[in-house]
Amino acid sequence: MKYYSIAPYTTFQVAGRAEHLWEVESPEEFVKAVKKAQSSGLDFKVIAGGSNVVFNDGLYRGLIICIKSGKLKVKGNLAISDSGAPLSKLISKTCAL
């Protein structure tokens, strides 16, 4: 069985492996991944930028859902951000308001 390294999806670049990994780029893909995990009886974890998460070096027996969208919209004094948007991008855009 092929395992997937989680390290590239974390800020510290240190982590073990996962049995399953799914990169999603839209809310629809995210819902599809969660439903697939639930219908398959898989435990799952969701990560976005990977800056607030630490995984051990072992094997995660489940699905890691990686949110890869990083969209950020600024309208007037309102910022709307996907969970995968880098914090630095959000700060620079909102400080410019």
Side-chain angles (χ1 to χ4, degrees):
M1 175 178 252
K2 179 181 177 176
Y3 298 120
Y4 300 88
S5 175
I6 305 169
Y9 299 94
T10 67
T11 301
F12 293 115
Q13 299 288 302
V14 177
R17 297 162 294 137
E19 283 186 333
H20 307 278
L21 187 131
W22 192 335
E23 292 182 355
V24 300
E25 295 189 18
S26 69
E28 295 80 17
E29 281 185 285
F30 175 74
V31 170
K32 185 177 179 180
V34 169
K35 286 182 177 180
K36 181 66 173 176
Q38 291 173 331
S39 69
S40 302
L42 287 173
D43 287 331
F44 65 93
K45 303 287 183 205
V46 179
I47 61 175
S51 62
N52 294 320
V53 64
V54 176
F55 288 93
N56 68 29
D57 287 336
L59 176 64
Y60 177 67
R61 297 197 177 278
L63 171 65
I64 300 293
I65 301 171
C66 300
I67 299 174
K68 300 304 288 180
S69 64
K71 295 176 186 163
L72 174 62
K73 295 180 206 171
V74 178
K75 292 183 179 181
N77 64 350
L78 177 66
I80 301 170
S81 173
D82 285 352
S83 60
L87 183 58
S88 59
K89 182 178 175 183
L90 177 62
I91 291 169
S92 67
K93 291 278 190 182
T94 55
C95 285
L97 293 176

